[in-house]
Amino acid sequence: MAEHLIEFRNIKKSYGSVDALGGIDLYVDKGEVLGLIGDNGAGKSTLIKILAGVVKPTCGEIIVRGRPVSGWNAGRSREAGIETVFQDRALALQQSIVHNIFMGRELVGMFGWLKLKQQLAEADRLMREIGFTSEAYTPRSIVGQLSGGERQGVAIARAIYKQADLIVLDEPTTALSLAETAKVFQFVRQVRASGRSIILIDHNIHHIFDIADRFAVLDRGKIVLEADRSKVKSVKELVGFMEHVARAASAGGGHAKAAGGVAP
Amino acid sequence: MTDLADQSRPRSRTTKATEVETGWHHPSEHRLRRLVLEHRAALGTLAVFLVMMSIFIAANPAVFMTWSIYSSVLTTLPVALFVVVPLVFVVTGGEIDLSFPAVMGFSSWTFALLVQADFDPFIAMAAAILTGLVLGFCVGALVVYAGLSSLIATLGMNFLLRGLIQIVNEGKSIALVTLGDSPAYKIFSSEILGVPVQIFWAVGFVIFATLLYNRHRFGAHVKAVGDNPDSAKQMGINVKRVRVKLFVFMGIGAAIGGTFSTMINFTWWPTAGDGYLLPVLASVFVGGTPTWGGVGTVVGGAIGTLTVAFIQTGVVAAGLSGFYVQFFNGLIIILSLVGHRWNQERYR
Ligand SMILES: Nc1ncnc2c1ncn2[C@@H]1O[C@H](COP(=O)(O)OP(=O)(O)OP(=O)(O)O)[C@@H](O)[C@H]1O
Ligand SMILES: [Mg+2]
């Protein structure tokens, strides 16, 4: 079997008495879009924060390109070719767009002196490619002056700047207009076409259904469904399953089994 | 990324392409505007300084025509600059350090002891700087790894270190009689054409620090950490290490400042550095670095230092009694803060 790009093995995370994640086994392959869905508080963001090295798992292993990682942190994660658009966007609002795009990954020459000109040129190019921000803004504009959607554009631009092997998008379209949302999905398709991978978290099941190659449904820290796109006949089936999951959760019972219509 | 560029640009704005090209890069007439905007905190500080000086000079022009009034300020100013500048970094990083007066005293104590024991003053200076570095590291490690509030922890360290100095020295000072003949003294503490050489070293330090702040990865990380530590961490910046480095930098600056002040006086006192606490803090904020972190200005801080240094001299020279000094100190601080408040905005 070919090795997976990323693999989670029995990842658990508890916050005090709250089990945010209770043993996750999941993988992402090269060139695929993995859709991660689940209710609020299901543990989606926690999982991708663990992958990004921001949150330490209580136990479990992350395997990148066939090798278990050790001493995992945010810096290592980015070096391994994983770029994340966090749900909170992780921007520094008093800083310029260019500073945010290169935050933690500055272009430096000898002795750590910044290559400011090159950073500006790259940021300028990136902004034009993405076209998220209005033309009144330059790479020197302060991020705090941008609108919510424009800020989100900066976060997305930052994630795509390096041709990362895996781009993780945690609800990338929440603040975006229809046109901008379409752009994001257009971008997701381009990334897949170039043989790179995406993990996409979105509450809009139609979006996920349209674009993902594989779905994973999280429910209160457990994966309750993992299915290929080809196994799911219609979006109705997926929506039906999600409703089933929500009902099981509100009934306070155990985790929903993948029974409600979807044959896993 | 090129594939994206090729597809998206024509799609979105085929007709406007040329317009965008020209509009995007701000033409040169906007450059001045941008520079003013980017440096408005420093420029505001400069304006305060100039207004203050004009008032002093108008009150007593004759005194301000004599060189000695400037020369005395230029002797003590460098000491403050070596401390104000790193403190701008610390405040930008979202922290505060109140332990620098004791670190100044402690490291210059090392200097004085070694000079007294007939070591070369160069070696004594190096040892003093090393002392400052180690103390800064200890303070930083305490704040960062024990997760303490830097305001309280550094205040505690200030008392603790000063207490140690007092316990050991029991109030006795150290006179450095041989210092004046050494080459180190010539290089660091003499005069060139009547100008105290310390000022050149201090100006060099300010320039270096400005570059560090604006054009070095360290400065970029400090701003990111002070702005939003969570974001900085999420982007892979080692937030704790950056914070410790801030206190180390502060310790080094305090050591140089303390040593310079000992050299100027040929004497080390157990109270060395104590008087700098409030003026230095005032200089940073008068200089236009806000308290909330993420932004700041080294050059503004330097001008702020100049302003604070001239208040005392200026008030007395303008013919007022020394009783007015504190009043004017307060007035300048409040006016500067009001001014900066109006031209700075904190984005949330
Ligand atoms: N720092 C934290 N401290 C304590 N509990 C936390 C923390 N972060 C997350 N949790 C808990 O972990 C669980 C999963 O949270 P997570 O943010 O992963 O959910 P999510 O699936 O991303 O939800 P949403 O769709 O609302 O973003 C929640 O119950 C949350 O309360
Ligand atoms: Mg979430």
Side-chain angles (χ1 to χ4, degrees), chain A residues 45 87 170-171:
Chain A
S45 299
Q87 192 166 5
D170 194 347
E171 305 191 20

Side-chain angles (χ1 to χ4, degrees), chain A residues 44 52 57 73 82 90 119 131 147 171 174 194 198 204 238 251:
Chain A
K44 307 179 295 293
N73 59 34
I82 301 168
Q119 285 193 356
S147 78
E171 305 191 20
T174 39
S194 67
I198 298 252
N204 188 328
L238 204 55

Side-chain angles (χ1 to χ4, degrees), chain A residues 54 74 78 90-91 93-95 99 106 111-114 124 128-129 135 138 140 145 160 163 190, chain B residues 1 4 7-8 13 21 24 26 34 38 215-217 220-221 227-228 231 233 235 294 347-348:
Chain A
V54 175
R78 294 186 88 186
L91 296 169
L93 297 188
Q94 331 291 323
Q95 312 302 320
H99 188 149
E106 295 78 10
F111 305 121
W113 296 103
L114 297 174
D124 194 277
R128 288 204 234 182
E129 278 176 18
E135 284 142 26
T138 73
R140 283 201 178 85
Q145 295 172 341
I160 71 175
Q163 305 251 336
Q190 279 164 4
Chain B
M1 214 72 322
L4 186 62
Q7 289 170 27
S8 68
R13 29 182 102 97
E21 305 266 325
W24 198 276
H26 278 209
R34 197 195 80 219
E38 265 175 21
R215 293 171 173 268
H216 194 275
R217 185 170 43 197
H221 285 184
D227 192 324
N228 189 336
S231 298
K233 188 181 166 207
M235 286 301 115
Y347 301 103
R348 292 169 197 272

Side-chain angles (χ1 to χ4, degrees), chain A residues 113, chain B residues 81-82 85 89 199-216 249 298-300 302:
Chain A
W113 296 103
Chain B
L81 281 177
F82 279 110
V85 166
F89 280 72
I199 197 69
F200 297 113
W201 290 102
V203 168
F205 183 68
V206 170
I207 292 170
F208 167 75
T210 307
L211 293 175
L212 197 65
Y213 194 87
N214 295 319
R215 293 171 173 268
H216 194 275
F249 187 31
V298 173
V299 173

Side-chain angles (χ1 to χ4, degrees), chain A residues 10 17 33 52 57 69 73 81 91 108 111 152 181 191 210 219 227 264:
Chain A
N10 193 30
S17 60
V33 177
V69 297
N73 59 34
L91 296 169
V108 292
F111 305 121
Q152 207 159 317
T181 303
V191 170
D210 276 350
D219 176 30

Side-chain angles (χ1 to χ4, degrees), chain A residues 4 6-11 23-28 34-36 47-48 61 63 199 214-218 223 225-227:
Chain A
H4 302 299
I6 306 283
E7 197 180 342
F8 297 103
R9 277 197 200 145
N10 193 30
I11 295 278
I24 299 287
D25 292 293
L26 189 66
Y27 66 89
V28 187
L34 173 69
L36 198 54
L47 185 64
I48 64 104
E61 257 189 330
I63 290 140
I199 296 180
R214 222 149 46 80
F215 314 102
V217 181
L218 264 177
I223 295 204
L225 174 75
E226 208 186 324

